[in-house]
Structures are given as structure tokens and as C-alpha cells.
Amino acid sequence: MAGERQDDCLFCKIVAGEVPADVVRETGTTLAFRDINPQAPTHVLVVPKVHYRDAPSLAAADPQVTADVLREAGEVAAEDKVDGTGYRIVFNTGSGAGQTVWHAHAHVLGGRGFNWPPG
Ligand code: 5GP
Ligand code: ZN
């Protein structure tokens, strides 16, 4: 069921502490941890503790937690001091856009330059 823990979901396991992660921030509704395969000096994933398959599904079901994820993305950028130069908040949505983990997550990328349009 949407919103409930999925036993086969990697990020649900990280939220539950069953898979280790380099956690940088935690709130009642969100967890932020460093990406295992960083694509920038700062590359942190911010996930809702509840399980939804992608960000729009989370937003439809729980606007408050969606806002929590975005606020925490900004806090991560500030803590890593990449907010002054600019950073990316990315929600890959669907396999064609590169989504590989089917638990909503924001990528926070910073500490280098970025091209537009993205690759
Ligand atoms: P997506 O491709 O779904 O947008 O993003 C999934 C991200 O999760 C990828 O950037 C990938 O490197 C990261 N990832 C996959 N497995 C793990 C893991 O076990 N731990 C951490 N910290 N990140 C992971
Ligand atoms: Zn999950």
C-alpha cells in the first residue's frame, strides 16, 4: 500500500536502519543521507520516511511531507555550504528519466558547475 513500508524497498530499509547509510539530517518525516555513488562534491538524497513510488505520488498523498522534503533539501545545501553558489534539487521520475529506486527521493547536488539543459 502506498505510504506503508515496502519490505523489498532499499530506502525503506535505510529509513528503518536495516541498511547502513551516511545520514546527514533526520526529522520526524524525512531522512537525508549521502548518495553511495556521488555525482558532485555534495550529493545527498532526501527521502520521506513514508513510501511512495515517486515524488508526484507523494505530493498527491501528502503535501506537507513533500514540503518537508524540499525544506530539508535546502537545509542540506546550507549545511554543506553549497547554497551560496547554487545547487540542483532533482527528482528523477520514471525509468526513462533515470529513476532506479522506486521510493520518492530528492537528489541535492552541489559544489560544482551544472549545465543546462541537463543530460
Ligand atoms: P535514482 O536513480 O532513482 O534517481 O536515484 C537513486 C540513487 O540511489 C542513485 O543515485 C544511487 O547511487 C543511490 N543509491 C543506490 N543504492 C544506494 C545505497 O545502498 N545507499 C545509498 N546511500 N545510495 C544508494
Ligand atoms: Zn520505500
Side-chain angles (χ1 to χ4, degrees):
M1 281 283 274
E4 294 175 3
R5 178 207 160 99
Q6 303 287 299
D7 286 337
D8 59 350
C9 172
L10 173 63
F11 290 172
C12 281
K13 288 179 180 160
I14 288 177
V15 166
E18 296 165 9
V19 170
D22 183 0
V23 172
V24 295
R25 289 183 61 84
E26 182 170 13
T27 71
T29 57
T30 65
L31 191 70
F33 51 91
R34 296 202 185 275
D35 196 291
I36 204 167
N37 183 23
Q39 301 301 313
T42 289
H43 188 174
V44 171
L45 303 173
V46 183
V47 308
K49 289 185 172 178
V50 290
H51 178 95
Y52 288 92
R53 70 190 313 274
D54 55 28
S57 301
L58 172 68
D62 202 329
Q64 181 58 58
V65 174
T66 310
D68 294 345
V69 168
L70 281 171
R71 186 197 63 247
E72 284 300 304
E75 293 293 339
V76 164
E79 282 193 2
D80 269 20
K81 298 185 168 50
V82 297
D83 53 336
T85 47
Y87 58 96
R88 285 267 168 88
I89 301 174
V90 175
F91 294 92
N92 293 327
T93 305
S95 55
Q99 187 175 1
T100 59
V101 177
W102 301 92
H103 178 129
H105 54 280
H107 294 257
V108 182
L109 296 147
R112 65 168 171 84
F114 294 97
N115 295 324
W116 193 263

PDB file of all heavy atoms in Angstrom, residues 10-11 14 19 21 33-37 43 45 92 98-101 105 107, ligand 1:
ATOM      1  N   LEU A  10      14.771  -0.568  -0.921  1.00  0.00           N
ATOM      2  CA  LEU A  10      16.054  -0.198  -0.318  1.00  0.00           C
ATOM      3  C   LEU A  10      15.927   1.008   0.610  1.00  0.00           C
ATOM      4  O   LEU A  10      16.476   1.013   1.722  1.00  0.00           O
ATOM      5  CB  LEU A  10      17.061   0.109  -1.442  1.00  0.00           C
ATOM      6  CG  LEU A  10      18.408   0.669  -0.999  1.00  0.00           C
ATOM      7  CD1 LEU A  10      19.157  -0.325  -0.127  1.00  0.00           C
ATOM      8  CD2 LEU A  10      19.222   1.077  -2.223  1.00  0.00           C
ATOM      9  N   PHE A  11      15.206   2.042   0.173  1.00  0.00           N
ATOM     10  CA  PHE A  11      15.154   3.250   1.009  1.00  0.00           C
ATOM     11  C   PHE A  11      14.278   3.039   2.245  1.00  0.00           C
ATOM     12  O   PHE A  11      14.526   3.643   3.289  1.00  0.00           O
ATOM     13  CB  PHE A  11      14.718   4.464   0.189  1.00  0.00           C
ATOM     14  CG  PHE A  11      15.762   4.929  -0.811  1.00  0.00           C
ATOM     15  CD1 PHE A  11      15.468   5.917  -1.739  1.00  0.00           C
ATOM     16  CD2 PHE A  11      17.043   4.386  -0.832  1.00  0.00           C
ATOM     17  CE1 PHE A  11      16.422   6.353  -2.653  1.00  0.00           C
ATOM     18  CE2 PHE A  11      18.013   4.804  -1.746  1.00  0.00           C
ATOM     19  CZ  PHE A  11      17.697   5.797  -2.662  1.00  0.00           C
ATOM     20  N   ILE A  14      16.758   1.613   4.574  1.00  0.00           N
ATOM     21  CA  ILE A  14      17.647   2.644   5.130  1.00  0.00           C
ATOM     22  C   ILE A  14      16.912   3.449   6.190  1.00  0.00           C
ATOM     23  O   ILE A  14      17.455   3.711   7.270  1.00  0.00           O
ATOM     24  CB  ILE A  14      18.211   3.530   3.992  1.00  0.00           C
ATOM     25  CG1 ILE A  14      19.235   2.724   3.176  1.00  0.00           C
ATOM     26  CG2 ILE A  14      18.839   4.803   4.552  1.00  0.00           C
ATOM     27  CD1 ILE A  14      19.817   3.459   1.963  1.00  0.00           C
ATOM     28  N   VAL A  19      19.707  -1.058   6.573  1.00  0.00           N
ATOM     29  CA  VAL A  19      20.825  -0.903   5.640  1.00  0.00           C
ATOM     30  C   VAL A  19      21.547   0.363   6.063  1.00  0.00           C
ATOM     31  O   VAL A  19      20.912   1.407   6.255  1.00  0.00           O
ATOM     32  CB  VAL A  19      20.321  -0.795   4.172  1.00  0.00           C
ATOM     33  CG1 VAL A  19      21.446  -0.387   3.239  1.00  0.00           C
ATOM     34  CG2 VAL A  19      19.707  -2.107   3.723  1.00  0.00           C
ATOM     35  N   ALA A  21      23.695   3.809   6.169  1.00  0.00           N
ATOM     36  CA  ALA A  21      23.813   4.974   5.284  1.00  0.00           C
ATOM     37  C   ALA A  21      24.511   6.084   6.056  1.00  0.00           C
ATOM     38  O   ALA A  21      24.485   6.110   7.298  1.00  0.00           O
ATOM     39  CB  ALA A  21      22.437   5.437   4.814  1.00  0.00           C
ATOM     40  N   PHE A  33      20.649  11.398   3.462  1.00  0.00           N
ATOM     41  CA  PHE A  33      21.896  10.620   3.540  1.00  0.00           C
ATOM     42  C   PHE A  33      22.669  10.766   2.234  1.00  0.00           C
ATOM     43  O   PHE A  33      22.088  11.037   1.170  1.00  0.00           O
ATOM     44  CB  PHE A  33      21.610   9.139   3.841  1.00  0.00           C
ATOM     45  CG  PHE A  33      20.590   8.495   2.949  1.00  0.00           C
ATOM     46  CD1 PHE A  33      20.974   7.852   1.781  1.00  0.00           C
ATOM     47  CD2 PHE A  33      19.237   8.545   3.254  1.00  0.00           C
ATOM     48  CE1 PHE A  33      20.040   7.253   0.940  1.00  0.00           C
ATOM     49  CE2 PHE A  33      18.283   7.958   2.421  1.00  0.00           C
ATOM     50  CZ  PHE A  33      18.694   7.304   1.270  1.00  0.00           C
ATOM     51  N   ARG A  34      24.000  10.577   2.320  1.00  0.00           N
ATOM     52  CA  ARG A  34      24.842  10.775   1.141  1.00  0.00           C
ATOM     53  C   ARG A  34      24.654   9.631   0.141  1.00  0.00           C
ATOM     54  O   ARG A  34      24.532   8.469   0.528  1.00  0.00           O
ATOM     55  CB  ARG A  34      26.312  10.914   1.549  1.00  0.00           C
ATOM     56  CG  ARG A  34      26.521  12.140   2.399  1.00  0.00           C
ATOM     57  CD  ARG A  34      27.919  12.682   2.433  1.00  0.00           C
ATOM     58  NE  ARG A  34      27.973  13.796   3.388  1.00  0.00           N
ATOM     59  CZ  ARG A  34      27.658  15.056   3.119  1.00  0.00           C
ATOM     60  NH1 ARG A  34      27.288  15.399   1.888  1.00  0.00           N
ATOM     61  NH2 ARG A  34      27.683  15.984   4.059  1.00  0.00           N
ATOM     62  N   ASP A  35      24.626  10.019  -1.142  1.00  0.00           N
ATOM     63  CA  ASP A  35      24.474   9.028  -2.206  1.00  0.00           C
ATOM     64  C   ASP A  35      25.712   8.139  -2.245  1.00  0.00           C
ATOM     65  O   ASP A  35      26.843   8.608  -2.105  1.00  0.00           O
ATOM     66  CB  ASP A  35      24.279   9.736  -3.561  1.00  0.00           C
ATOM     67  CG  ASP A  35      23.729   8.803  -4.628  1.00  0.00           C
ATOM     68  OD1 ASP A  35      24.475   7.891  -5.060  1.00  0.00           O
ATOM     69  OD2 ASP A  35      22.563   8.978  -5.024  1.00  0.00           O
ATOM     70  N   ILE A  36      25.519   6.853  -2.443  1.00  0.00           N
ATOM     71  CA  ILE A  36      26.628   5.887  -2.440  1.00  0.00           C
ATOM     72  C   ILE A  36      27.510   6.067  -3.678  1.00  0.00           C
ATOM     73  O   ILE A  36      28.668   5.632  -3.666  1.00  0.00           O
ATOM     74  CB  ILE A  36      26.053   4.454  -2.363  1.00  0.00           C
ATOM     75  CG1 ILE A  36      27.073   3.488  -1.790  1.00  0.00           C
ATOM     76  CG2 ILE A  36      25.537   3.981  -3.718  1.00  0.00           C
ATOM     77  CD1 ILE A  36      26.483   2.142  -1.407  1.00  0.00           C
ATOM     78  N   ASN A  37      27.014   6.721  -4.713  1.00  0.00           N
ATOM     79  CA  ASN A  37      27.745   6.921  -5.970  1.00  0.00           C
ATOM     80  C   ASN A  37      27.650   8.400  -6.357  1.00  0.00           C
ATOM     81  O   ASN A  37      26.957   8.767  -7.307  1.00  0.00           O
ATOM     82  CB  ASN A  37      27.137   6.024  -7.055  1.00  0.00           C
ATOM     83  CG  ASN A  37      27.883   6.132  -8.358  1.00  0.00           C
ATOM     84  OD1 ASN A  37      29.067   6.512  -8.402  1.00  0.00           O
ATOM     85  ND2 ASN A  37      27.195   5.816  -9.453  1.00  0.00           N
ATOM     86  N   HIS A  43      26.311  15.348  -2.808  1.00  0.00           N
ATOM     87  CA  HIS A  43      25.243  14.565  -3.439  1.00  0.00           C
ATOM     88  C   HIS A  43      24.528  13.810  -2.325  1.00  0.00           C
ATOM     89  O   HIS A  43      24.991  12.775  -1.837  1.00  0.00           O
ATOM     90  CB  HIS A  43      25.804  13.595  -4.475  1.00  0.00           C
ATOM     91  CG  HIS A  43      24.726  12.922  -5.286  1.00  0.00           C
ATOM     92  ND1 HIS A  43      25.004  12.100  -6.355  1.00  0.00           N
ATOM     93  CD2 HIS A  43      23.370  12.942  -5.176  1.00  0.00           C
ATOM     94  CE1 HIS A  43      23.873  11.661  -6.877  1.00  0.00           C
ATOM     95  NE2 HIS A  43      22.865  12.143  -6.167  1.00  0.00           N
ATOM     96  N   LEU A  45      20.708  12.432  -0.788  1.00  0.00           N
ATOM     97  CA  LEU A  45      19.331  12.043  -1.078  1.00  0.00           C
ATOM     98  C   LEU A  45      18.458  12.393   0.115  1.00  0.00           C
ATOM     99  O   LEU A  45      18.828  12.092   1.258  1.00  0.00           O
ATOM    100  CB  LEU A  45      19.251  10.537  -1.346  1.00  0.00           C
ATOM    101  CG  LEU A  45      20.151  10.027  -2.471  1.00  0.00           C
ATOM    102  CD1 LEU A  45      20.108   8.500  -2.532  1.00  0.00           C
ATOM    103  CD2 LEU A  45      19.763  10.635  -3.811  1.00  0.00           C
ATOM    104  N   ASN A  92      14.316  12.483 -10.288  1.00  0.00           N
ATOM    105  CA  ASN A  92      14.179  11.615 -11.459  1.00  0.00           C
ATOM    106  C   ASN A  92      12.867  10.855 -11.316  1.00  0.00           C
ATOM    107  O   ASN A  92      12.624  10.212 -10.292  1.00  0.00           O
ATOM    108  CB  ASN A  92      15.348  10.635 -11.533  1.00  0.00           C
ATOM    109  CG  ASN A  92      16.671  11.332 -11.809  1.00  0.00           C
ATOM    110  OD1 ASN A  92      16.716  12.338 -12.501  1.00  0.00           O
ATOM    111  ND2 ASN A  92      17.745  10.801 -11.261  1.00  0.00           N
ATOM    112  N   GLY A  98      15.787   8.128 -15.563  1.00  0.00           N
ATOM    113  CA  GLY A  98      16.882   7.677 -14.705  1.00  0.00           C
ATOM    114  C   GLY A  98      16.478   7.222 -13.322  1.00  0.00           C
ATOM    115  O   GLY A  98      17.357   6.937 -12.505  1.00  0.00           O
ATOM    116  N   GLN A  99      15.172   7.158 -13.031  1.00  0.00           N
ATOM    117  CA  GLN A  99      14.785   6.665 -11.699  1.00  0.00           C
ATOM    118  C   GLN A  99      15.079   5.171 -11.598  1.00  0.00           C
ATOM    119  O   GLN A  99      14.692   4.386 -12.475  1.00  0.00           O
ATOM    120  CB  GLN A  99      13.302   6.929 -11.421  1.00  0.00           C
ATOM    121  CG  GLN A  99      12.927   6.583  -9.980  1.00  0.00           C
ATOM    122  CD  GLN A  99      11.485   6.944  -9.622  1.00  0.00           C
ATOM    123  OE1 GLN A  99      10.723   7.442 -10.446  1.00  0.00           O
ATOM    124  NE2 GLN A  99      11.107   6.677  -8.384  1.00  0.00           N
ATOM    125  N   THR A 100      15.791   4.802 -10.544  1.00  0.00           N
ATOM    126  CA  THR A 100      16.154   3.395 -10.326  1.00  0.00           C
ATOM    127  C   THR A 100      15.662   2.863  -8.990  1.00  0.00           C
ATOM    128  O   THR A 100      15.584   1.649  -8.806  1.00  0.00           O
ATOM    129  CB  THR A 100      17.680   3.198 -10.396  1.00  0.00           C
ATOM    130  OG1 THR A 100      18.305   4.021  -9.408  1.00  0.00           O
ATOM    131  CG2 THR A 100      18.219   3.552 -11.781  1.00  0.00           C
ATOM    132  N   VAL A 101      15.379   3.760  -8.052  1.00  0.00           N
ATOM    133  CA  VAL A 101      14.854   3.355  -6.748  1.00  0.00           C
ATOM    134  C   VAL A 101      13.441   3.917  -6.648  1.00  0.00           C
ATOM    135  O   VAL A 101      13.237   5.135  -6.759  1.00  0.00           O
ATOM    136  CB  VAL A 101      15.738   3.858  -5.581  1.00  0.00           C
ATOM    137  CG1 VAL A 101      15.120   3.473  -4.242  1.00  0.00           C
ATOM    138  CG2 VAL A 101      17.156   3.298  -5.698  1.00  0.00           C
ATOM    139  N   HIS A 105      12.458  10.374  -3.793  1.00  0.00           N
ATOM    140  CA  HIS A 105      13.676  10.963  -3.224  1.00  0.00           C
ATOM    141  C   HIS A 105      14.092  12.172  -4.025  1.00  0.00           C
ATOM    142  O   HIS A 105      13.982  12.181  -5.254  1.00  0.00           O
ATOM    143  CB  HIS A 105      14.820   9.946  -3.166  1.00  0.00           C
ATOM    144  CG  HIS A 105      15.128   9.281  -4.470  1.00  0.00           C
ATOM    145  ND1 HIS A 105      14.378   8.234  -4.964  1.00  0.00           N
ATOM    146  CD2 HIS A 105      16.097   9.517  -5.392  1.00  0.00           C
ATOM    147  CE1 HIS A 105      14.882   7.851  -6.125  1.00  0.00           C
ATOM    148  NE2 HIS A 105      15.924   8.616  -6.409  1.00  0.00           N
ATOM    149  N   HIS A 107      17.360  14.354  -5.080  1.00  0.00           N
ATOM    150  CA  HIS A 107      18.816  14.464  -5.120  1.00  0.00           C
ATOM    151  C   HIS A 107      19.169  15.931  -4.845  1.00  0.00           C
ATOM    152  O   HIS A 107      18.618  16.825  -5.495  1.00  0.00           O
ATOM    153  CB  HIS A 107      19.354  14.136  -6.511  1.00  0.00           C
ATOM    154  CG  HIS A 107      19.162  12.722  -6.957  1.00  0.00           C
ATOM    155  ND1 HIS A 107      20.174  11.793  -6.946  1.00  0.00           N
ATOM    156  CD2 HIS A 107      18.076  12.091  -7.463  1.00  0.00           C
ATOM    157  CE1 HIS A 107      19.721  10.640  -7.431  1.00  0.00           C
ATOM    158  NE2 HIS A 107      18.452  10.796  -7.749  1.00  0.00           N
TER     159      HIS A 107
HETATM  160  P1  5GP B   1      17.520   7.435  -8.904  1.00  0.00           P
HETATM  161  O1  5GP B   1      18.385   6.801  -9.962  1.00  0.00           O
HETATM  162  O2  5GP B   1      16.357   6.530  -8.551  1.00  0.00           O
HETATM  163  O3  5GP B   1      17.083   8.849  -9.202  1.00  0.00           O
HETATM  164  O4  5GP B   1      18.444   7.594  -7.634  1.00  0.00           O
HETATM  165  C1  5GP B   1      18.800   6.516  -6.826  1.00  0.00           C
HETATM  166  C2  5GP B   1      20.118   6.870  -6.184  1.00  0.00           C
HETATM  167  O5  5GP B   1      20.327   5.973  -5.095  1.00  0.00           O
HETATM  168  C3  5GP B   1      21.329   6.738  -7.110  1.00  0.00           C
HETATM  169  O6  5GP B   1      21.979   7.995  -7.232  1.00  0.00           O
HETATM  170  C4  5GP B   1      22.209   5.696  -6.411  1.00  0.00           C
HETATM  171  O7  5GP B   1      23.581   5.992  -6.482  1.00  0.00           O
HETATM  172  C5  5GP B   1      21.703   5.739  -4.979  1.00  0.00           C
HETATM  173  N1  5GP B   1      21.859   4.500  -4.253  1.00  0.00           N
HETATM  174  C6  5GP B   1      21.605   3.233  -4.718  1.00  0.00           C
HETATM  175  N2  5GP B   1      21.837   2.339  -3.755  1.00  0.00           N
HETATM  176  C7  5GP B   1      22.234   3.036  -2.654  1.00  0.00           C
HETATM  177  C8  5GP B   1      22.617   2.648  -1.333  1.00  0.00           C
HETATM  178  O8  5GP B   1      22.625   1.472  -0.963  1.00  0.00           O
HETATM  179  N3  5GP B   1      22.969   3.634  -0.476  1.00  0.00           N
HETATM  180  C9  5GP B   1      22.985   4.954  -0.850  1.00  0.00           C
HETATM  181  N4  5GP B   1      23.360   5.854   0.077  1.00  0.00           N
HETATM  182  N5  5GP B   1      22.615   5.359  -2.089  1.00  0.00           N
HETATM  183  C10 5GP B   1      22.255   4.411  -2.979  1.00  0.00           C
END
